Amino acid sequence: MKIKLLFLSLLLIGGLRVKAQTLTPEQLQADFTRFRTALAEVHPEMYRYTPKPVFDSLFAATQARLNRPMTQQEFYVTMVPLLVALKDGHIKWIPAGQDEHYPFSTSKLFPLKVYVVENRVWVVGNCGSETVPKGAELLRINGKPVSEVIQQLLPNMTFADGHTVNGKYEDLNHFFAGYYATFIGAPDAYEVQYRSGNEEKMIALAPVTLDQIKAYDEKQKPAAQKPFRLTFTDDFKAATMTIERFWDDKKEQDYAKFLKQSFRELREKRVESLVLDLRNNEGGEEKYGVLLYQYLARKPFRYYEYISVRQKKNYSFPVWSPKLYQKFKWLVVRKRGDGYVFTKQAGLKRQKPKRDAFQGNLAVLVNGLSFSVTTEFSARVHADQRATFIGQETGGGYVGDNSGIFAITQLPHSKIDLGIGMFGFHMANLPATLKPGQGILPDHVVVPTVEDVLTGNDRAMQKALQLIQTGSAAGKSSITTR
């Protein structure tokens, strides 16, 4: 399962008191050794994007810096470049018991909600009492140009596979205040320079607490909808299917039942074109991606080429991983060349389309939060030239990802939890023209403007419906490598 690990904070306790303590060089070196050992023994694809010699140099440089006492936060920040070098958006690095995105400060936080596009930042909300006009462009924060702020934060962010960046921008849109506090600071006040219309202004803003940010976010949530939805145009020639996640809740909809009923209805109504909205879908269960493609494929297909595993033997350090996997890994992990593979996965077998598989035109909407299982599914669709893609490059990698079930270890002195996906997924039958580290690149790139964000104007959906109406979404997507 590839959704964000909610159970990391439940793993072990004791991290709260470490935040204020100073760790000795001996303690730092011991935690560094555990960290490096865990990656070497668990991570299935350490060198998928960064060569071993580069990694070895990074390890040596990082270890050399651990020669003085450090706080938990200083150690956390020092180790982050090693995690970034993995280029693995699933990796988890969380001080025990802390919020993943606000690990060291829950007060003195930046009070504005922002929208980031490359090096430009706009205001889309205010969490504090002082206000900056929505739609205003931020120019400086405490004297530093916002372009420099973004370029300082991006290299410390891990939510991206390969060389993709849109997942990082989406993370900044949601958790800018947390990243700023962790990697730049949590000052007593924020002096902000902004441009609204033709005027530039300066304002001093009081910081806010995490509770204030969460209260603001709660108020901005849209009205609750079912996570799986199917709607039709008035003439029933086209339909829109929204899949918010690739997992279901027993208290809500049944995913398999939704697909079965929906695709039967599409056939009965003789729908000609389908828009599949996978934006902001961060993933879930691998089998749910396979099942969806069975309802869209025009011919039998292979989904995964293989699933790599680092080793079959037990780990040499204390670690948590699912008991069921530990019990049966001797049956499902086998030798393959110089490594090992996981064999118990339906997606490794040749799959047949479902009886009610949709054969019409298909358009797929994706963005930076289309991740993990969502990107795997999109890779299969795109490689088979089954759909036209619209939106922004996915946060997940086209060739596959490192995820599945996780092994989690807590570093003994700093009390930071390191969560590592144990499986390296490799998609089958990919185009030879792919560039290393790319995500799914849309055929039609649509980047929302700040006005779109503030007004709810959905230009990507409008583009998809326009293509369908003009017959341009015929499911013959070219393999883009730009």
Side-chain angles (χ1 to χ4, degrees):
M1 195 170 185
K2 304 181 183 182
I3 56 173
K4 292 188 176 181
L5 294 183
L6 302 177
F7 54 80
L8 272 173
S9 61
L10 304 176
L11 182 61
L12 294 170
I13 59 174
L16 297 176
R17 64 178 179 274
V18 178
K19 290 177 66 176
Q21 290 181 352
T22 299
L23 301 165
T24 68
E26 293 75 20
Q27 290 174 322
L28 297 172
Q29 292 291 339
D31 280 13
F32 174 87
T33 299
R34 169 73 65 82
F35 178 98
R36 186 169 187 174
T37 300
L39 286 183
E41 294 187 16
V42 179
H43 202 287
E45 303 279 349
M46 268 191 72
Y47 312 119
R48 190 195 282 253
Y49 299 110
T50 301
K52 187 178 186 300
V54 176
F55 244 120
D56 289 343
S57 296
L58 284 172
F59 274 123
T62 303
Q63 187 172 21
R65 295 178 62 189
L66 305 177
N67 61 353
R68 62 174 181 83
M70 289 185 177
T71 64
Q72 185 192 46
Q73 183 172 358
E74 289 175 319
F75 176 67
Y76 175 100
V77 171
T78 299
M79 300 294 283
V80 162
L82 291 168
L83 297 167
V84 174
L86 291 170
K87 299 183 182 297
D88 171 6
H90 286 86
I91 200 76
K92 297 299 176 183
W93 181 236
I94 308 174
Q98 302 304 304
D99 187 294
E100 178 181 3
H101 296 101
Y102 301 88
F104 300 104
S105 181
T106 56
S107 61
K108 299 185 179 181
L109 297 171
F110 188 69
L112 302 178
K113 301 295 289 189
V114 300
Y115 176 59
V116 184
V117 177
E118 295 184 348
N119 290 324
R120 300 182 69 182
V121 180
W122 290 271
V123 177
V124 294
N126 295 264
C127 301
S129 55
E130 304 95 344
T131 61
V132 174
K134 291 182 179 180
E137 182 177 2
L138 286 186
L139 303 176
R140 292 176 179 269
I141 301 174
N142 287 348
K144 180 177 288 191
V146 293
S147 59
E148 293 183 16
V149 171
I150 299 304
Q151 291 309 310
Q152 185 173 346
L153 295 179
L154 285 176
N156 291 298
M157 300 176 68
T158 61
F159 188 55
D161 284 345
H163 307 312
T164 65
V165 295
N166 282 336
K168 295 184 179 184
Y169 285 123
E170 291 288 357
D171 243 17
L172 283 176
N173 292 339
H174 289 83
F175 309 109
F176 180 87
Y179 284 110
Y180 192 99
T182 299
F183 296 104
I184 296 178
D188 293 327
Y190 293 91
E191 188 177 65
V192 169
Q193 182 182 355
Y194 66 91
R195 181 188 296 117
S196 181
N198 295 321
E199 290 187 286
E200 290 189 10
K201 295 184 178 181
M202 191 84 72
I203 186 173
L205 301 175
V208 295
T209 65
L210 180 55
D211 285 342
Q212 286 177 280
I213 291 177
K214 289 184 175 180
Y216 177 87
D217 289 343
E218 190 64 30
K219 289 181 180 179
Q220 304 307 308
K221 281 185 178 180
Q225 299 186 77
K226 293 181 178 180
F228 318 127
R229 303 185 293 277
L230 180 67
T231 59
F232 297 88
T233 57
D234 292 339
D235 58 7
F236 290 102
K237 289 184 178 180
T240 298
M241 178 178 289
T242 301
I243 306 290
E244 291 187 354
R245 62 197 188 208
F246 280 112
W247 55 277
D248 50 17
D249 187 325
K250 295 186 184 299
K251 298 178 182 178
E252 298 179 342
Q253 291 168 286
D254 182 284
Y255 176 80
K257 184 180 294 185
F258 167 79
L259 292 187
K260 185 176 182 179
Q261 293 174 344
S262 295
F263 283 96
R264 179 185 300 159
E265 191 172 4
L266 290 172
R267 179 176 59 82
E268 291 173 348
K269 287 183 166 58
R270 298 183 180 181
V271 171
E272 299 173 1
S273 301
L274 176 65
V275 178
L276 179 60
D277 191 351
L278 299 179
R279 292 172 296 178
N280 305 317
N281 183 334
E282 295 184 46
E285 297 278 0
E286 294 91 356
K287 64 182 180 181
Y288 284 8
V290 178
L291 179 60
L292 178 57
Y293 195 51
Q294 287 180 304
Y295 281 105
L296 294 168
R298 288 173 170 162
K299 60 183 179 180
F301 64 93
R302 287 194 63 208
Y303 198 80
Y304 297 120
E305 180 68 26
Y306 66 95
I307 302 171
S308 64
V309 178
R310 183 67 185 89
Q311 64 182 33
K312 192 171 184 176
K313 64 183 180 180
N314 292 330
Y315 303 126
S316 66
F317 57 95
V319 64
W320 179 93
S321 61
K323 291 182 178 179
L324 190 63
Y325 173 76
Q326 293 301 324
K327 184 177 181 181
F328 291 106
K329 69 178 177 179
W330 311 108
L331 299 175
V332 297
V333 175
R334 296 178 183 173
K335 188 75 174 175
R336 181 183 188 270
D338 295 332
Y340 295 87
V341 292
F342 181 75
T343 61
K344 187 67 173 178
Q345 168 55 250
L348 293 166
K349 301 176 181 178
R350 188 172 177 82
Q351 304 290 325
K352 294 181 179 180
K354 293 286 188 181
R355 183 174 66 87
D356 288 332
F358 179 72
Q359 299 298 306
N361 299 328
L362 179 64
V364 179
L365 304 182
V366 292
N367 65 0
L369 285 179
S370 301
F371 189 67
S372 193
V373 171
T374 306
T375 305
E376 291 176 0
F377 167 83
S378 298
R380 180 74 279 122
V381 175
H382 194 281
D384 289 350
Q385 301 186 36
R386 176 64 182 91
T388 297
F389 280 77
I390 302 156
Q392 297 168 273
E393 183 179 10
T394 59
Y398 199 133
V399 298
D401 54 62
N402 308 305
S403 53
I405 60 177
F406 278 65
I408 308 169
T409 187
Q410 186 175 96
L411 305 192
H413 302 291
S414 61
K415 304 302 180 186
I416 300 177
D417 293 333
L418 174 63
I420 307 170
M422 299 167 68
F423 298 158
F425 291 84
H426 291 255
M427 304 307 298
N429 301 321
L430 298 184
T433 53
L434 289 181
K435 289 184 178 180
Q438 76 170 71
I440 311 300
L441 293 162
D443 303 286
H444 302 273
V445 176
V446 179
V447 180
T449 65
V450 65
E451 290 80 12
D452 293 333
V453 173
L454 291 172
T455 62
N457 182 45
D458 194 344
R459 289 194 298 120
M461 181 63 75
Q462 293 165 10
K463 181 67 174 180
L465 294 174
Q466 175 194 3
L467 290 171
I468 282 175
Q469 291 168 359
T470 59
S472 302
K476 293 184 179 180
S477 165
S478 61
I479 304 303
T480 311
T481 58
R482 65 183 180 275

